[in-house]
Amino acid sequence: MRRSAILGLVAITGLALPVVALLALPVSPASAAPTAGCADVTTAAVETLVDEQLQPFIRNDKVPGAVVSVVAGGQTVFGKGYGLADVARGVPMDAQISAVRIASISKLFTYTAVMQQVEAGKIDLGADVNTYLKAFKIPATYPRPITVGDLMNHTAGFEDRIIGTGAHGPTNLGEFLAANIPVRIRPPGEISAYSNYGAALAGYIVAQVSGEPYEQYVQRHILDPLGMTHSTATEPPPFAPARSYNTDETPAREVPFTFDPLTPDGSVTASADDMAEFMKAHLADGGKLLSPATAQLMHTRSFAADPRLGGFAHGFMDRTMNGHRVLMHDGGWEAFGSVLLLVPDCNIGLFASLNSTAAGDAMQALVPGFTNKFLPTVPTKLATAPATAVPAPGFYASTRHNQSTMEWLLVLLGPMRLTVSHDGTVHFKGHEYVAAGDGLYKQRDGDDHLVFRPGAGGVSYVATDGPAYERLGYTDSPPFNLGILAAFAVIAFTIPVYLLWRLLRRRAKPIESSRAWRASRWLAGGASLLGLVFLGLLVATLAGDVSDFIYGAPLSFKVLLTLPLLVGAAAVASLAGTVRGWSTARFSARVHQVLSLSGLTMLMWFFWQWNLLGWWQA
């Protein structure tokens, strides 16, 4: 999902709705004959389950509205709207016509388009992406080039970025991609790190080889063939879509339409019934979209950090639930939260979308409820694989992170500590993982697994059934950096105390010192005070409303990032004055000045380490 713990668009709490409307679309009672290990999926059974899971969220006003569709046996067995699509106008959610922003589930449309062009012989999944790029090229940072397959597997090695990934109006996809090429921070194919840029680049390549703009291509080659008449990849949609709401506020605030400059990664708006057609096509060996051979290729696993873990199948997230293989994707944009699940061996598909920032809570109830009801647990045998690496305790951050701008600071604010008990139990993400043999660890209270993997340049990874994590170096860890800031703060707070003491002594007995020395002392004190002010303002900014950062760093924040430059300039000037006036100062003053400059040196290292030196780092 396109969210960050610090720079998310919206937060999660409750909303007071004056009216709650429930609308069930008329659907023909249907059922699908279950295959071995699969439950019978009927309209009545699905409706009972979904009602039980979603209506509490509607009633307690955390979710204004929701839409759900379920397919089984090649039929749409359920489609229903819950609550409101537009609170102000009282428009009910309707599975047939209420179009929701499906966000990153749009990537499945993009990857389907890629596979169509593979089938047409115009794209080679193993080819260098630069083969298809004319207006710009991806820098050759590593010997191995990024391939189209890497884009689909999220293994291109791009850093991630949040600031500036939304827009108030339409943008040119090619120009945006060319102007915002992310830094490559690891070799391609090494580990997965979810990349919106990579997906957008894949969609741009489709446009290049087909000669059709991305939105037009999706309309002509995916939406129209499937009869998805209430869906579009165009921004804004040519029809009135459902609205989404920030239910962190009371009353809830409607989230304005936000353009996605990386359109192939999340621009599709679709109704639940239309999404049922998309699911049925993929479950029917490609249907009208792909040949059976190409569909089989697309659904084949294409990357996993370890064969025993979840991975990717040419853009689909490849997971196991209750022993069944599940191809899925989720998405979050504005305040919509959506999920799509395909279970090929049971010929079942689920799509759900909620227009609230409480969507995550509701999905945590709906998805397990659905899978436990209709996917009875079947025996599963994990693939075999040799041990990869021994456990490496330390602090870990998601491989999906930024390193070249101030967003690198987010890594410091949200890492996870991994420890290993004397009995070999791994403690990570609030859970315990026990050894399951050959380097595999299984979550004691759940179904997640993890393995440790080495990377290039001595990097250590923890790969799970979901995201992968990278071990932070010692100087990147929270304890080290908190120590640096604490030491600076203690020294900085001694400066006014010391200067006041010297001032009182000066009145009792004049102390001779040069003008250069006195200036150096005041500069050191001023730089330290300015450093403290900057840190305070930075914390206040990140703890406040940062929703506008999605459109780019505000001018006020860019101005804030000039303060470290002033701190650095004052520190250098203080050092020069210290050298010039050293011989005229008393011993105690010399000692304190050395401490002051040491504190400023630590602070400047912190600014440099976390890309806080200048407005261009935003």
Side-chain angles (χ1 to χ4, degrees):
M1 288 189 178
R2 299 188 58 172
R3 284 187 182 153
S4 161
I6 302 299
L7 297 178
L9 290 178
V10 281
I12 298 175
T13 55
L15 159 71
L17 275 178
V19 178
V20 175
L22 297 179
L23 173 67
L25 269 179
V27 294
S28 301
S31 65
T35 58
C38 304
D40 190 10
V41 180
T42 67
T43 301
V46 174
E47 183 168 30
T48 299
L49 173 75
V50 177
D51 285 359
E52 290 176 352
Q53 299 297 338
L54 288 187
Q55 286 194 16
F57 290 92
I58 302 292
R59 285 196 300 266
N60 65 19
D61 296 336
K62 286 187 176 181
V63 176
V67 284
V68 179
S69 61
V70 174
V71 301
Q75 304 176 65
T76 300
V77 298
F78 180 77
K80 187 173 181 177
Y82 295 82
L84 299 174
D86 189 323
V87 174
R89 297 170 181 82
V91 178
M93 273 287 196
D94 185 319
Q96 185 177 25
I97 63 174
S98 295
V100 295
R101 302 205 69 182
I102 65 172
S104 286
I105 298 176
S106 305
K107 292 178 174 66
L108 297 182
F109 289 76
T110 296
Y111 300 139
T112 299
V114 169
M115 297 306 294
Q116 287 177 335
Q117 293 305 302
V118 169
E119 185 173 306
K122 295 183 178 181
I123 290 180
D124 179 351
L125 294 178
D128 182 346
V129 295
N130 284 330
T131 304
Y132 307 104
L133 303 178
K134 303 172 184 177
F136 64 96
K137 299 293 182 182
I138 303 299
T141 308
Y142 297 96
R144 176 162 108 61
I146 296 171
T147 67
V148 178
D150 290 325
L151 301 181
M152 303 176 79
N153 295 329
H154 296 278
T155 55
F158 290 131
E159 71 173 2
D160 194 47
R161 187 159 173 79
I162 300 167
I163 296 176
T165 55
H168 292 292
T171 54
N172 180 281
L173 175 61
E175 292 177 359
F176 189 88
L177 289 170
N180 294 275
I181 300 175
V183 174
R184 298 176 61 186
I185 58 176
R186 62 180 63 88
E190 181 169 283
I191 200 76
S192 62
Y194 193 82
S195 174
N196 289 312
Y197 184 94
L201 189 61
Y204 179 70
I205 288 174
V206 169
Q208 291 292 289
V209 300
S210 68
E212 298 179 71
Y214 172 78
E215 297 84 356
Q216 180 180 321
Y217 183 95
V218 171
Q219 186 68 48
R220 291 188 59 219
H221 299 279
I222 298 178
L223 303 181
D224 288 347
L226 296 180
M228 298 176 66
T229 56
H230 292 90
S231 302
T232 183
T234 301
E235 295 183 318
F239 44 76
R243 305 308 306 159
S244 61
Y245 299 87
N246 179 357
T247 52
D248 184 41
E249 302 179 6
T250 304
R253 174 176 59 85
E254 181 178 315
V255 178
F257 186 92
T258 304
F259 287 81
D260 182 1
L262 297 169
T263 44
D265 88 309
S267 67
V268 173
T269 302
S271 71
D273 275 13
D274 280 359
M275 290 303 296
E277 298 305 312
F278 183 75
M279 292 190 290
K280 286 188 288 187
H282 271 281
L283 288 170
D285 293 327
K288 297 178 180 179
L289 302 180
L290 302 168
S291 71
T294 304
Q296 183 178 5
L297 173 62
M298 183 175 182
H299 298 163
T300 300
R301 174 169 286 204
S302 51
F303 178 83
D306 185 283
R308 300 164 294 184
L309 299 178
F312 287 96
H314 298 93
F316 280 99
M317 297 175 181
D318 188 358
R319 303 290 186 263
T320 299
M321 297 182 180
N322 294 349
H324 299 266
R325 183 173 185 239
V326 175
L327 299 176
M328 63 171 293
H329 215 292
D330 58 0
W333 186 239
E334 293 170 1
F336 286 102
S338 307
V339 67
L340 181 148
L341 303 177
L342 300 179
V343 190
D345 68 338
C346 292
N347 200 9
I348 297 172
L350 165 71
F351 171 78
S353 183
L354 297 88
N355 61 349
S356 164
T357 51
D361 295 336
M363 290 297 186
Q364 288 178 7
L366 176 62
V367 173
F370 182 86
T371 55
N372 290 335
K373 174 71 173 180
F374 298 109
L375 301 180
T377 301
V378 296
T380 182
K381 183 178 180 181
L382 294 174
T384 58
T388 51
V390 297
F395 287 90
Y396 285 77
S398 170
T399 53
R400 183 187 180 184
H401 65 254
N402 182 283
Q403 286 186 195
S404 66
T405 74
M406 62 76 51
E407 289 187 49
W408 171 229
L409 183 66
L410 301 183
V411 168
L412 179 62
L413 299 179
M416 288 159 282
R417 189 175 186 182
L418 186 148
T419 60
V420 182
S421 300
H422 65 279
D423 62 355
T425 300
V426 173
H427 303 265
F428 188 52
K429 300 193 299 180
H431 299 282
E432 293 184 353
Y433 293 80
V434 295
D438 295 327
L440 179 71
Y441 290 79
K442 184 183 186 303
Q443 184 180 336
R444 192 189 298 274
D445 58 348
D447 298 322
D448 193 24
H449 300 82
L450 63 80
V451 298
F452 294 85
R453 281 198 55 177
V459 175
S460 296
Y461 297 111
V462 168
T464 71
D465 284 321
Y469 303 86
E470 180 179 340
R471 189 170 183 267
L472 298 176
Y474 178 69
T475 57
D476 300 332
S477 67
F480 181 84
N481 284 273
L482 288 175
I484 288 289
L485 293 179
F488 160 72
V490 169
I491 295 171
F493 282 120
T494 68
I495 292 176
V497 175
Y498 182 82
L499 290 179
L500 178 61
W501 176 70
R502 295 303 299 173
L503 181 62
L504 294 175
R505 288 204 61 189
R506 184 185 299 275
R507 289 182 176 179
K509 181 180 179 181
I511 301 173
E512 295 296 331
S513 61
S514 68
R515 180 179 299 176
W517 177 260
R518 292 194 296 273
S520 71
R521 299 288 284 144
W522 284 107
L523 283 167
S528 298
L529 176 61
L530 189 60
L532 289 173
V533 169
F534 170 79
L535 292 175
L537 292 175
L538 180 65
V539 170
T541 299
L542 295 180
D545 181 6
V546 292
S547 57
D548 282 346
F549 277 62
I550 198 74
Y551 302 112
L555 178 61
S556 59
F557 189 74
K558 292 184 177 181
V559 171
L560 179 62
L561 289 182
T562 64
L563 296 188
L565 298 177
L566 298 179
V567 172
V572 171
S574 177
L575 176 62
T578 298
V579 173
R580 290 184 58 191
W582 183 262
S583 62
T584 67
R586 290 176 175 265
F587 176 77
S588 62
R590 292 178 181 177
V591 171
H592 191 263
Q593 182 69 346
V594 169
L595 284 174
S596 299
L597 292 174
S598 297
L600 286 170
T601 300
M602 289 187 282
L603 181 65
M604 292 307 298
W605 175 88
F606 180 85
F607 291 158
W608 170 81
Q609 165 75 359
W610 300 103
N611 301 326
L612 297 172
L613 286 170
W615 62 88
W616 58 87
Q617 300 276 32

